[in-house]
C-alpha cells in the first residue's frame, strides 16, 4: 500500500511513535516494588521538535504499569501527547483518529506490522522484531533508545518535506531540549 500512496503524493499529517523499543531500548528496570525506570535516548526530542513544524508528533505505549514513567519523559519533558493503546488495537485506534493514508508510524514489536502494512509510511529501528523490519518502509541504522527516533525524524523531513540543513541557523522560536537559561 505504501508505494501507491507515495506515488499519489498524499502528504503525511501525523508521525506516531511507539515508546518502548523506539524511544527506549525496550528494557524495564524492576525493584521489589515493581517497574521503576526506563532509559530514553539522547537527541530524539530535538529532532522531533524540528519535525513538528511539518506534522503532528504523537506517542503511544502499551505499557500500562510503566505509563507514568513514559508520561514523565514524553509529556512533561518533551511536551508531546502520549496515549495508552494496546499493542493489538493500534490499527483500530489510529484509524479512528486519522486517515491511514496520511500516517507515518514507527514501531518495533511483534504486532507492529499490522499497522505498518496499512498506512502511508512505516519505520522500524534496527533492533526491531524481524517482522516489523520486513514490513517497514525504512529501517534506521540506530537502535531504539540510541537516536533511532532522531534518525527517523530527519529521514521523514528529507523524504516528505525539506531536508534538515545543519548549516542553517535554528529557528529561534523552537523549543529544544538542549536549550536552557543560566
Amino acid at each position: 500500500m505504501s508505494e501507491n500512496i507515495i506515488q499519489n503524493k498524499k502528504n503525511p499529517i501525523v508521525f506516531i511513535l511507539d515508546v518502548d523499543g523506539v524511544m527506549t531500548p525496550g528494557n524495564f528496570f524492576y525493584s521489589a516494588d515493581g517497574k521503576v525506570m526506563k532509559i530514553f535516548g539522547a537527541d530524539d526530542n530535538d529532532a522531533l521538535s524540528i519535525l513538528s513544524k511539518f506534522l503532528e508528533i504523537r506517542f503511544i505505549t502499551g505499557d500500562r504499569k510503566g505509563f507514568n514513567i513514559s508520561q514523565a519523559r514524553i509529556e512533561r519533558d518533551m511536551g508531546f501527547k502520549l496515549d495508552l493503546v494496546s499493542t493489538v488495537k493500534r490499527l483500530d485506534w489510529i484509524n479512528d483518529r486519522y486517515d491511514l493514508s496520511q500516517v507515518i508510524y514507527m514501531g518495533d514489536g511483534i504486532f507492529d506490522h499490522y499497522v505498518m502494512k496499512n498506512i502511508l509510511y512505516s519505520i522500524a529501528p534496527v533492533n526491531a522484531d524481524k517482522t516489523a523490519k520486513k514490513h517497514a518502509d525504512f529501517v534506521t541504522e540506530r537502535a531504539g533508545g540510541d537516536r533511532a527516533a532522531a534518525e527517523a525524524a530527519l529521514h521523514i523531513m528529507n523524504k516528505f518535506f525539506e531536508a534538515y540543513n545543519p548549516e542553517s541557523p535554528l529557528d529561534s522560536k523552537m523549543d529544544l531540549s538542549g536549550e536552557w537559561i543560566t
Side-chain angles (χ1 to χ4, degrees):
M1 180 179 201
S2 295
E3 280 303 314
N4 293 337
I5 294 170
I6 291 170
Q7 289 173 358
N8 293 335
K9 299 187 191 272
K10 191 97 170 185
N11 289 330
I13 61 166
V14 64
F15 181 29
I16 301 172
L17 299 91
D18 183 16
V19 174
D20 299 304
V22 171
M23 295 298 290
T24 75
N27 302 335
F28 303 121
F29 294 89
Y30 280 84
S31 74
D33 296 323
K35 196 176 292 182
V36 295
M37 193 179 311
K38 297 181 183 187
I39 297 172
F40 288 85
D43 293 330
D44 291 335
N45 184 36
D46 287 339
L48 290 167
S49 295
I50 295 168
L51 179 61
S52 70
K53 81 178 198 179
F54 299 103
L55 71 158
E56 179 184 0
I57 308 290
R58 192 159 185 172
F59 292 87
I60 57 177
T61 182
D63 182 18
R64 186 179 306 273
K65 292 183 179 180
F67 185 80
N68 62 337
I69 299 168
S70 296
Q71 193 173 38
R73 175 61 177 149
I74 302 300
E75 288 188 344
R76 287 193 308 238
D77 292 350
M78 295 173 58
F80 293 111
K81 182 124 177 75
L82 171 68
D83 291 284
L84 184 63
V85 181
S86 166
T87 58
V88 297
K89 300 283 187 189
R90 291 188 175 172
L91 183 60
D92 292 335
W93 183 89
I94 294 168
N95 193 39
D96 287 345
R97 288 157 181 78
Y98 301 98
D99 176 344
L100 295 178
S101 69
Q102 294 183 294
V103 173
I104 299 174
Y105 178 78
M106 185 170 185
D108 70 304
I110 63 172
F111 300 124
D112 284 324
H113 70 283
Y114 292 111
V115 174
M116 294 172 161
K117 295 187 314 186
N118 290 287
I119 58 168
L120 171 65
Y121 198 75
S122 58
I123 301 173
V126 72
N127 62 329
D129 172 77
K130 68 180 180 178
T131 306
K133 290 193 295 188
K134 177 182 169 189
H135 288 88
D137 295 299
F138 177 72
V139 176
T140 64
E141 294 179 12
R142 305 300 290 252
D146 184 29
R147 296 179 171 94
E151 182 182 341
L154 297 178
H155 171 78
I156 291 167
M157 287 177 60
N158 187 51
K159 182 160 188 71
F160 293 98
F161 303 105
E162 61 186 51
Y164 168 67
N165 179 358
E167 301 301 320
S168 66
L170 287 172
D171 181 349
S172 63
K173 296 176 186 152
M174 192 176 309
D175 184 22
L176 300 172
S177 67
E179 184 177 338
W180 46 273
I181 300 171
T182 59

